[in-house]
Amino acid sequence: MSSMAIAVSLSMSSRRIRRGGGEVDVDRVLVTASPTALKMNQTRREVAGRFLGMKKRFHGTIAVTKAKVDDGEEKKQKMSSSSRNLRVGLICGGPSAERGISLNSVRSVLDHIQRNGISVSCYYIDPDLNAYAISSAQVYSNTPADFDFKLESLAQAFASLSELAEHLVSAVDIVFPVIHGRYGEDGGIQELLESHNIPFVGTGSRECRRAFDKYEASLALKEHGFMSVPNYLVQGTEVDESELAKWFTDNLLDLEVGKVVVKPANSGSSIGVKVAFGVKDSIKKATELILEGIDDKVVIEVFIENAYEFTAIVLDVGSGSDCHPVVLLPSEVELTFHGSGDTKENAIFDYRRKYLPTQQVTYHTPPRFPISVIKSIREEASLLFKKLGLRDFARFDGWYLMPTSNLASSASETLKGSGNIIFTDINLISGMEQTSLFFQQASKVGFSHSNILRTIIHRASSRYPQLSWYNYDESSQLLRGSTTMETSGDVQKVFVLFGGDTSERQVSVISGTNIWMNLQRFGDLKVTPCLLSSSLRNSMGFPDKTESDLDKREVWLLPYSVVLRHTVEEVLAACLEAIDPDRARFTSLLQQQVKEDLMDALKNQSWFAGFDITDEVPVRFSLKDWIKLAKESEATVFLSAHGGIGEDGTMQALLEDEGVPYTGSGVHASRICMDKAMASKALSHLSEFGVHTISNEVKRTEDIIHESIPDIWYELITKFKCLTLCVKPARDGCSTGVARLCSSEDLEVYVHALRDRLPRIPANSFSKTHGMIEMPNPTPELFIFEPFIETDEVIVSSKSSEKLSWKGSRRWVEITVGVIGKHGSLRSLSPSLTVKENGDILSLEEKFQGGTGINLTPPPPTIMSKEALERCKRGIELIAKTLGLEGFSRIDAFVHVETGDVMVIEVNTVPGMTPSTVLIQQALAEQPPMYPPQFFRTLLNLAAQRVK
């Protein structure tokens, strides 16, 4: 593999690096950017051999010297601290609507910093600012509602925030706040910590207050000579319409249809952001935000036209009181609409686009801007970081203005910068989910998750003299190995396969990434993430399952930085960019510059041991060649491709034919469970054992589209003797296209969505209230209709003294439960009671995206007795045995709370494995608890015990 990158030597004074107990002189540091092209005489298999042959070792392309410490006192500090861990307190939650994202972030931070020199304690603050000490296991609860419901039984409550602070004084060395929005970024938690002299990561309270308030931040930008978006402040519900009209006129906006952005002044960058048109609409939407209690201050801004959005992470690599901000590779934010209807309301980078795996946004890291523009972004963001007095890290969102932009005429007003860059949002605690932009940008310049987080902690520690020992502790130098569970023996290769072309492919990306990250902590595993590419489709949009179609499929072996994306399409685009010589050369030059900037400061930090991620080139194989590679490599395939060929027995059969071990159920069980009607039939004889199935009718999509809707409706309600139906894909995943229909008019809306291939059905399109429904893409060939099963509504509230509200008149509730074990002897984990937050059908996000949905594991005894729960588990195990399941699966069902009888909804043989999936919670409910790394390792080990 050839490198088109430039090797840059950074001259340094002679230093010494400690390796294996000795010291070696190193006179300079060599920075080698990513390889960008393959030599013509190299085969893909040779490249893959190099790709897969990399052992668990220090991966850095930079070998950074460890400064020789001559001061005797510093040596004493280092020796006395050699056996001491840095105690880090993670604080999550908060009163903001973004607290669900806070939980996702804190999970990620916890996963990547604990062990090897750092011990972690976790704390949670609820919406009313009550504080609790929580276990690390509770961090894996899916939602804030899960936290709130279990706090009394599982957490240690503090009488006040002051009592929390007093506890932290003695319990931790430094606090890492991971609260997004109010109380996390507005200076609240920082002021509490400062008042008790507790060291913490991040910006101080005074600077937070001004940077977080969007209106105050815009004033600060102007004061320091930067451009800011023209805005108007609304306080209270009484808005002076004439004054706002004057502001519209001054900014050349039409009074009736002038386009503006309306957003809370003191919320995160995504909550409550709306587009408005004209003065009256602006007042209406600003007032709505205030009345909804989101904020009492609202900012109306000019909507920026003819510009490109970007976001950039700033990392302070200084020491002590010296600030040395370096901007990593920025990301361009490209919004797409895919015919989703009215784009006026969809033309902003809102909460859904930022945090949910949709195809509505694409990120390009680095941006597709001229290199001079990227240089300006980095220089101006670095300067702004200093001017605002920020610390450790931050994220700046902004726009690159084209000459035709409506704000281009304001460029001449700027005192600093290029005049075509404008910053709009300052995020003091950036989202840190596993595939967040924070980690995307860090990985592109050589930082693993662990390395970037530990770098931030080291930087923050350097401000506090009492923590100086930590920056001389050699154990704190461990980088990627810091999250490696050291074991002995030969290295076992694992291919984690995700992606595909089903409607659940985006969830598959999250699952596969999570599995890969957890398994790579084991020192005896070499884990390679692999993307299954989409297949060609016929003109009707249905997937083609022919032999020739399998021949056209491809699998990509992915390097670290390419994996960190939100969708299959983004990952594939990143692969194609990585192998494009021009784009790769462009990226390489920028990577080189960022690393040089980082090393200007990091070379002087004794604790920094180097970058630990090399930006390798992804390698593409045909599906059949990839399977042969797996066989030759003696790899085990961890299947995480939900639906389609990943779950219907096709992939299982291909792997079995080559003798490649894989996780999950075998060919026969996979085929049965993928077909909901077939699975129902296979279980129909178990009623006497308390296992029941739901009557169903399967219809072809073409027939549904072309037949009379009233006739179809009448036929179905007559057959089932009911007035409400449930419709869902017959052979697709469990989360898309599922809807409750209460009339033929509802069916007409659903068929219209199928006919027009809409990506989603908007909320409340049917006669009964419901949330947004993601539609399957591509459109399935078959749909299944069933009577809608009425269950008892379960309401969880943190506000009421009765936290659990349940009338229990019907006595049926919905559960989801994992089964795990060898063929014929799978055991049931503790079921989770599913609670729907919006409508009657669990949405895609409620099942898999942290921050939404509620799962109570196990069901509370006030709803379901211990005897009924045990009978339910026996019924679940009977289902698994009857279907021939193996390894692990997830079963969704209704259960009768008194008898424990089970009514099967569906069985998923390749279930979602996202960080907040209920299966993780169920594994943690075991005795002893199985944390995610052990859980996934257990599932991997079961693949070796497969029935031949």
Side-chain angles (χ1 to χ4, degrees):
M1 185 179 294
S2 64
S3 174
M4 299 177 66
I6 299 174
V8 181
S9 296
L10 302 179
S11 297
M12 298 173 60
S13 59
S14 180
R15 297 177 180 273
R16 308 184 72 80
I17 182 166
R18 183 176 296 278
R19 289 290 183 267
E23 290 189 339
V24 180
D25 284 322
V26 179
D27 294 323
R28 62 183 183 177
V29 176
L30 182 65
V31 183
T32 305
S34 61
T36 60
L38 306 180
K39 288 182 179 178
M40 296 301 293
N41 63 349
Q42 280 186 307
T43 66
R44 282 195 301 265
R45 195 167 299 276
E46 288 170 337
V47 174
R50 179 179 179 276
F51 193 104
L52 298 173
M54 294 190 304
K55 296 181 179 179
K56 299 286 286 189
R57 58 178 173 80
F58 172 63
H59 287 263
T61 55
I62 298 180
V64 183
T65 63
K66 185 177 189 301
K68 186 175 180 180
V69 181
D70 295 321
D71 185 87
E73 183 59 35
E74 289 180 342
K75 285 185 178 181
K76 290 179 183 178
Q77 286 183 324
K78 187 167 70 173
M79 292 177 63
S80 65
S81 65
S82 60
S83 60
R84 180 181 175 187
N85 283 350
L86 182 75
R87 300 170 302 164
V88 176
L90 298 180
I91 304 182
C92 63
S96 165
E98 289 185 282
R99 66 192 182 113
I101 303 304
S102 168
L103 303 188
N104 293 344
S105 293
V106 79
R107 266 192 295 268
S108 184
V109 176
L110 173 66
D111 284 345
H112 294 290
I113 67 170
Q114 63 181 345
R115 292 180 297 274
N116 296 99
I118 291 180
S119 59
V120 180
S121 301
C122 299
Y123 303 89
Y124 175 68
I125 295 177
D126 73 8
D128 298 318
L129 298 184
N130 298 308
Y132 302 85
I134 60 173
S135 69
S136 57
Q138 198 170 343
V139 169
Y140 294 93
S141 291
N142 188 36
T143 67
D146 286 336
F147 271 88
D148 298 341
F149 182 76
K150 298 172 183 175
L151 283 173
E152 291 182 3
S153 60
L154 298 180
Q156 172 197 337
F158 295 100
S160 64
L161 289 172
S162 293
E163 186 176 271
L164 166 66
E166 291 166 5
H167 163 84
L168 293 173
V169 168
S170 59
V172 305
D173 297 311
I174 191 169
V175 168
F176 196 142
V178 195
I179 299 176
H180 305 310
R182 285 190 298 121
Y183 203 71
E185 297 179 84
D186 65 357
I189 187 68
Q190 292 81 4
E191 186 173 22
L192 175 71
L193 298 172
E194 287 168 350
S195 67
H196 289 75
N197 296 314
I198 301 170
F200 63 91
V201 171
T203 298
S205 63
R206 185 184 64 178
E207 292 77 12
C208 279
R209 274 192 293 273
R210 192 165 199 200
F212 180 71
D213 185 304
K214 294 178 176 61
Y215 185 73
E216 291 296 323
S218 70
L219 297 179
L221 285 168
K222 291 177 184 177
E223 287 176 12
H224 294 300
F226 292 88
M227 284 184 66
S228 67
V229 183
N231 59 30
Y232 181 89
L233 179 64
V234 175
Q235 298 188 82
T237 55
E238 297 297 324
V239 183
D240 188 328
E241 185 173 341
S242 61
E243 188 177 284
L244 180 58
K246 182 180 183 302
W247 179 83
F248 264 70
T249 302
D250 291 343
N251 287 283
L252 306 179
L253 295 170
D254 188 281
L255 298 179
E256 300 296 327
V257 295
K259 193 174 182 180
V260 296
V261 176
V262 180
K263 55 187 178 182
N266 291 291
S267 286
S269 61
S270 308
I271 297 297
V273 183
K274 302 179 179 181
V275 175
F277 299 87
V279 174
K280 292 187 182 300
D281 190 35
S282 300
I283 293 174
K284 175 178 176 291
K285 288 177 176 172
T287 303
E288 287 173 352
L289 288 175
I290 293 171
L291 292 176
E292 289 170 9
I294 294 177
D295 200 351
D296 56 2
K297 291 173 62 178
V298 174
V299 176
I300 300 174
E301 292 180 346
V302 173
F303 189 98
I304 302 174
E305 307 275 7
N306 299 324
Y308 295 95
E309 193 167 4
F310 68 82
T311 184
I313 300 296
V314 187
L315 181 67
D316 179 10
V317 289
S319 182
S321 60
D322 295 328
C323 180
H324 190 124
V326 174
V327 181
L328 306 184
L329 284 186
S331 299
E332 176 189 353
V333 181
E334 180 186 14
L335 301 186
T336 53
F337 305 107
H338 298 288
S340 58
D342 183 8
T343 61
K344 290 181 178 179
E345 295 299 329
N346 292 323
I348 50 176
F349 189 34
D350 58 10
Y351 180 92
R352 184 176 180 82
R353 286 195 173 91
K354 186 171 290 187
Y355 295 117
L356 299 183
T358 70
Q359 282 185 265
Q360 299 178 49
V361 62
T362 300
Y363 303 101
H364 303 277
T365 308
R368 300 166 300 174
F369 304 162
I371 200 164
S372 60
V373 172
I374 297 174
K375 180 182 178 183
S376 294
I377 291 171
R378 297 188 62 241
E379 289 176 349
E380 293 182 34
S382 176
L383 179 60
L384 182 58
F385 187 96
K386 271 190 169 182
K387 291 288 186 182
L388 295 178
L390 308 187
R391 300 193 315 214
D392 299 340
F393 71 104
R395 192 187 83 232
F396 291 168
D397 299 337
W399 296 81
Y400 160 43
L401 306 178
M402 300 299 289
T404 55
S405 171
N406 58 330
L407 294 187
S409 60
S410 304
S412 59
E413 300 174 8
T414 184
L415 302 178
K416 291 184 175 66
S418 60
N420 58 359
I421 302 301
I422 187 166
F423 296 104
T424 55
D425 282 294
I426 301 165
N427 300 272
L428 301 168
I429 302 179
S430 176
M432 287 176 276
E433 297 171 291
Q434 284 187 158
T435 57
S436 66
L437 289 166
F438 176 82
F439 292 121
Q440 282 186 36
Q441 294 182 20
S443 69
K444 290 298 288 187
V445 294
F447 287 107
S448 68
H449 288 59
S450 176
N451 197 1
I452 186 70
L453 291 169
R454 284 172 173 255
T455 295
I456 289 170
I457 292 171
H458 273 291
R459 170 63 188 97
S461 298
S462 72
R463 280 196 301 275
Y464 303 98
Q466 65 268 39
L467 297 180
S468 60
W469 62 267
Y470 178 61
N471 287 337
Y472 297 112
D473 184 357
E474 291 183 6
S475 68
S476 69
Q477 280 195 325
L478 296 173
L479 298 177
R480 191 173 182 185
S482 66
T483 52
T484 297
M485 300 176 180
E486 295 298 336
T487 57
S488 58
D490 296 333
V491 173
Q492 176 187 352
K493 291 186 173 65
V494 181
F495 289 178
V496 179
L497 182 67
F498 56 86
D501 59 1
T502 74
S503 56
E504 287 190 282
R505 62 191 180 279
Q506 317 308 6
V507 173
S508 173
V509 172
I510 304 174
S511 295
T513 302
N514 190 42
I515 293 165
W516 162 63
M517 287 206 160
N518 277 281
L519 288 181
Q520 71 171 347
R521 298 175 198 178
F522 292 92
D524 62 339
L525 298 180
K526 168 59 185 173
V527 189
T528 303
C530 304
L531 177 74
L532 175 65
S533 71
S534 301
S535 66
L536 298 176
R537 305 179 182 92
N538 61 28
S539 58
M540 281 298 295
F542 302 130
D544 182 359
K545 297 293 180 64
T546 64
E547 184 72 19
S548 60
D549 176 64
L550 293 177
D551 290 337
K552 296 173 185 175
R553 289 183 183 261
E554 296 177 332
V555 177
W556 293 78
L557 303 187
L558 305 175
Y560 195 109
S561 65
V562 172
V563 184
L564 304 182
R565 300 295 187 276
H566 300 82
T567 68
V568 167
E569 291 74 18
E570 277 189 70
V571 177
L572 185 57
C575 288
L576 296 174
E577 280 193 353
I579 63 174
D580 176 77
D582 292 336
R583 177 67 176 171
R585 185 183 296 110
F586 177 78
T587 300
S588 177
L589 289 171
L590 289 168
Q591 289 171 323
Q592 167 196 321
Q593 183 59 60
V594 174
K595 286 184 174 181
E596 285 184 33
D597 293 345
L598 289 166
M599 287 308 301
D600 280 345
L602 290 176
K603 68 186 179 185
N604 298 317
Q605 307 301 337
S606 60
W607 48 263
F608 187 67
F611 300 113
D612 57 334
I613 296 298
T614 53
D615 202 22
E616 297 289 329
V617 174
V619 187
R620 175 166 48 184
F621 289 87
S622 70
L623 174 58
K624 291 185 177 179
D625 282 346
W626 175 79
I627 292 174
K628 289 179 181 177
L629 177 67
K631 180 179 181 179
E632 293 169 4
S633 304
E634 298 182 344
T636 299
V637 174
F638 202 121
L639 290 174
S640 185
H642 308 317
I645 68 169
E647 195 168 357
D648 67 2
T650 302
M651 186 65 68
Q652 290 81 357
L654 292 172
L655 293 170
E656 282 192 14
D657 287 346
E658 291 293 334
V660 177
Y662 60 89
T663 57
S665 293
V667 177
H668 181 67
S670 297
R671 286 174 178 165
I672 290 177
C673 294
M674 190 63 182
D675 188 316
K676 296 179 177 68
M678 189 182 298
S680 179
K681 185 177 180 180
L683 299 171
S684 60
H685 64 288
L686 299 178
S687 291
E688 63 178 299
F689 302 105
V691 174
H692 311 280
T693 57
I694 305 171
S695 301
N696 61 71
E697 176 78 12
V698 177
K699 287 188 172 291
R700 297 176 66 243
T701 303
E702 289 189 62
D703 294 339
I704 298 172
I705 290 174
H706 294 107
E707 289 181 6
S708 164
I709 300 301
D711 289 349
I712 295 175
W713 181 258
Y714 180 76
E715 171 199 340
L716 291 170
I717 63 174
T718 301
K719 175 179 179 178
F720 296 136
K721 296 181 174 59
C722 68
L723 297 177
T724 308
L725 301 175
C726 178
V727 60
K728 53 191 172 184
R731 292 177 52 83
D732 205 355
C734 62
S735 305
T736 55
V738 185
R740 178 181 185 177
L741 308 177
C742 299
S743 65
S744 62
E745 289 77 16
D746 287 352
L747 179 58
E748 178 67 50
V749 172
Y750 193 88
V751 172
H752 172 74
L754 293 178
R755 186 184 298 117
D756 293 353
R757 299 180 190 173
L758 298 181
R760 61 195 60 84
I761 296 175
N764 302 324
S765 297
F766 299 138
S767 55
K768 186 172 175 61
T769 302
H770 67 89
M772 182 181 295
I773 299 172
E774 296 285 344
M775 293 299 286
N777 179 27
T779 304
E781 296 179 71
L782 302 172
F783 280 83
I784 190 168
F785 291 85
E786 302 170 342
F788 184 85
I789 305 299
E790 296 278 0
T791 59
D792 290 313
E793 185 178 31
V794 180
I795 300 174
V796 175
S797 172
S798 59
K799 302 290 185 181
S800 169
S801 58
E802 294 291 331
K803 292 201 171 185
L804 191 65
S805 173
W806 180 66
K807 293 182 179 179
S809 57
R810 297 186 180 91
R811 315 307 290 168
W812 288 92
V813 294
E814 186 175 347
I815 62 167
T816 186
V817 56
V819 290
I820 183 172
K822 299 179 183 179
H823 182 273
S825 60
L826 275 77
R827 63 182 179 85
S828 170
L829 300 177
S830 292
S832 297
L833 176 65
T834 55
V835 181
K836 296 172 282 290
E837 291 188 304
N838 190 2
D840 298 287
I841 303 292
L842 284 174
S843 67
L844 184 71
E845 300 94 75
E846 286 177 322
K847 282 199 172 181
F848 300 113
Q849 177 68 21
T852 56
I854 303 169
N855 298 283
L856 305 178
T857 309
T862 53
I863 291 180
M864 193 173 184
S865 69
K866 182 178 180 181
E867 294 74 21
L869 181 60
E870 288 304 313
R871 188 164 190 264
C872 165
K873 292 170 71 172
R874 290 197 298 271
I876 292 295
E877 290 168 355
L878 178 60
I879 293 168
K881 186 172 184 178
T882 303
L883 293 174
L885 302 182
E886 189 170 356
F888 62 98
S889 293
R890 193 190 75 237
I891 298 173
D892 297 335
F894 300 110
V895 61
H896 195 280
V897 297
E898 292 177 352
T899 66
D901 279 14
V902 173
M903 189 180 299
V904 182
I905 300 174
E906 60 193 7
V907 180
N908 297 274
T909 55
V910 184
M913 291 292 181
T914 65
S916 55
T917 179
V918 293
L919 296 186
I920 299 293
Q921 297 174 53
Q922 291 172 14
L924 286 166
E926 294 289 290
Q927 293 299 327
M930 279 194 291
Y931 280 81
Q934 290 80 16
F935 178 57
F936 291 124
R937 185 62 188 262
T938 299
L939 305 185
L940 180 68
N941 292 342
L942 285 168
Q945 303 168 27
R946 171 174 304 284
V947 174
K948 303 299 182 183

